[in-house]
Amino acid sequence: MAKIIVVTSGKGGVGKTTSAAAISTGLALRGKKTVVIDFDVGLRNLDLIMGCERRVVYDLVNVIQGEAGLNQALIRDKRVENLFILPASQTRDKDALTQEGVEKILEQLKGDFDYILCDSPAGIERGAQLAMYYADEAIVVTNPEVSSVRDSDRILGLLGSKTQRAEQGLEPVKEHLLITRYNPARVTSGDMLTLDDIREILAIDLLGLIPESEAVLRASNQGVPVTHDGSSDAGQAYTDTVSRLLGEEMPLRFHEIQRKGLLSRMFGGSRR
């Protein structure tokens, strides 16, 4: 039976869709049959980051409204055989999503996949609530800044009260914290919240810490999830995150300022 994981955030622009693409790719590379669904109707971006935008014929709304079958809308990833994408509609209204339609799609997918990732819109509107409603686990994405962390706390409130598990009195949605765009130098100078500050405010387990990295922007522009860039710090951090999601113990990296060695200082070596 598939595990349904919502990737969510209170604030936009924190790297949520980038994270959904990177984590779903990482799971598939570990041999898990994975599908990632874009719930951001009207602002479709997942297909761009996954590099399949020109292959979109049918989308999530088409399937919900009976205009296409699920298999017609699913797009197989070009690089990883057991990874699939279900894109959002770019032309429909968010009201085109229905709870019954989402439930039907998830039930169909459960029999075929190990992991179903729901890439939620930012905030608390209908699309976001539908993305999280059927979740077994949630990855809450935040930046190390006060407004982002505060909005993430609001999302935790919704996960605890507005999901199917909450309504039926079942075991709560398992919550994970993913911190993106972390810059140890800016944390040290006081421009960003510390790791301890964020964990104290949100009080959920840390799944991963993604450093601020040019590799993320480069990967997004190329339509290649950054997990494929194993030589970059961000790619390695997402790989660590996937390992923890699968229950493995991994040391936390990239949370301290990297001191350059003598050769790097002499010859101007830089980290990617």
Side-chain angles (χ1 to χ4, degrees):
M1 183 65 75
K3 188 172 288 185
I4 301 173
I5 301 176
V6 63
V7 183
T8 182
S9 69
K11 187 173 182 287
V14 299
K16 175 183 47 55
T17 297
T18 296
S19 297
I23 292 170
S24 60
T25 298
L27 287 167
L29 287 169
R30 293 290 299 270
K32 308 297 182 183
K33 192 174 182 185
T34 304
V35 58
V36 55
I37 307 172
D38 190 349
F39 275 82
D40 204 353
V41 174
L43 292 172
R44 188 177 87 199
N45 279 318
L46 179 66
D47 54 303
L48 284 170
I49 291 174
M50 303 289 284
C52 64
E53 69 279 4
R54 290 187 295 274
R55 298 162 62 201
V56 175
V57 178
Y58 296 111
D59 56 51
L60 176 63
V61 173
N62 291 139
V63 179
I64 285 176
Q65 298 191 343
E67 298 160 355
L70 181 56
N71 286 333
Q72 291 176 278
L74 285 173
I75 300 171
R76 186 191 289 270
D77 187 78
K78 289 181 282 190
R79 301 169 192 87
V80 189
E81 187 177 350
N82 54 347
L83 176 60
F84 292 79
I85 301 99
L86 181 55
S89 171
Q90 215 167 10
T91 58
R92 306 293 184 95
D93 188 85
K94 293 186 187 334
D95 291 336
L97 293 180
T98 66
Q99 186 165 315
E100 298 76 18
V102 170
E103 182 179 24
K104 185 177 178 181
I105 286 174
L106 292 175
E107 285 300 320
Q108 284 182 263
L109 292 171
K110 276 183 182 179
D112 290 331
F113 288 89
D114 299 312
Y115 285 90
I116 301 169
L117 268 71
C118 301
D119 179 24
S120 168
I124 58 174
E125 43 84 4
R126 179 170 176 77
Q129 292 194 21
L130 283 174
M132 72 171 63
Y133 184 76
Y134 295 101
D136 301 309
E137 301 188 20
I139 298 173
V140 181
V141 184
T142 190
N143 290 158
E145 56 182 64
V146 172
S147 61
S148 180
V149 174
R150 181 192 61 196
D151 289 347
S152 294
D153 209 18
R154 180 93 184 270
I155 293 296
L156 292 175
L158 292 176
L159 287 167
S161 59
K162 292 273 195 177
T163 60
Q164 186 181 55
R165 285 175 172 270
E167 288 178 2
Q168 296 181 358
L170 302 174
E171 187 177 338
V173 173
K174 187 175 182 181
E175 299 160 342
H176 307 280
L177 174 62
L178 180 66
I179 302 172
T180 55
R181 296 180 183 158
Y182 193 83
N183 185 322
R186 294 182 65 189
V187 170
T188 301
S189 66
D191 294 337
M192 286 183 169
L193 293 174
T194 68
L195 196 53
D196 288 339
D197 287 339
I198 300 168
R199 294 164 94 171
E200 184 177 344
I201 294 167
L202 298 179
I204 59 175
D205 290 338
L206 180 65
L207 180 70
L209 183 144
I210 314 301
E212 198 167 46
S213 173
E214 292 177 4
V216 173
L217 179 60
R218 184 169 60 244
S220 295
N221 287 338
Q222 293 172 349
V224 181
V226 72
T227 318
H228 286 293
D229 186 0
S231 64
S232 70
D233 47 6
Q236 293 168 33
Y238 275 116
T239 298
D240 289 353
T241 299
V242 169
S243 295
R244 293 189 196 98
L245 190 61
L246 292 172
E248 299 170 16
E249 293 285 337
M250 297 295 295
L252 191 66
R253 298 192 280 172
F254 311 114
H255 62 290
E256 297 175 336
I257 296 173
Q258 299 294 311
R259 304 293 181 190
K260 288 186 178 181
L262 177 61
L263 289 177
S264 293
R265 292 200 300 271
M266 288 175 62
F267 297 104
S270 62
R271 298 174 69 250
R272 291 179 68 184

